[in-house]
Amino acid sequence: ANQFRWQNGNMIATIEQLKQEKDVAIVAHYYVDGQVQDIADYVGDSFALSKIATIVPQKNILFCGVLLWEKC
């Protein structure tokens, strides 16, 4: 069962509320879907995001990345 209730059916409002409650900065790799980038506080490549992660004022960081598969 979903442990979070959407605030008035609005996922974005719920995420924003949880970001405040949990003191979270969302950082997203530019490879992730645009909807994830829209809700993120910071978007960039892995190197830029790792630098940003060292200076954000929030206590917690949610890193939205991608898994790349290569055939050998």
Side-chain angles (χ1 to χ4, degrees):
N2 185 356
Q3 69 186 55
F4 297 111
R5 295 254 183 236
W6 298 132
Q7 191 178 70
N8 298 322
N10 188 334
M11 182 176 21
I12 293 173
T14 302
I15 292 169
E16 291 293 344
Q17 178 184 352
L18 287 169
K19 282 171 42 177
Q20 295 299 316
E21 289 176 9
K22 306 292 184 183
D23 196 22
V24 173
I26 299 177
V27 298
H29 197 280
Y30 66 88
Y31 283 173
V32 300
D33 291 337
Q35 291 177 325
V36 176
Q37 292 182 25
D38 291 344
I39 196 68
D41 299 299
Y42 305 94
V43 177
D45 64 20
S46 299
F47 180 71
L49 294 174
S50 65
K51 291 179 73 173
I52 288 168
T54 66
I55 61 171
V56 297
Q58 290 86 351
K59 181 179 175 182
N60 300 295
I61 298 168
L62 174 63
F63 193 105
C64 303
V66 295
L67 179 61
L68 299 176
W69 294 84
E70 280 192 41
K71 292 184 179 183
C72 296

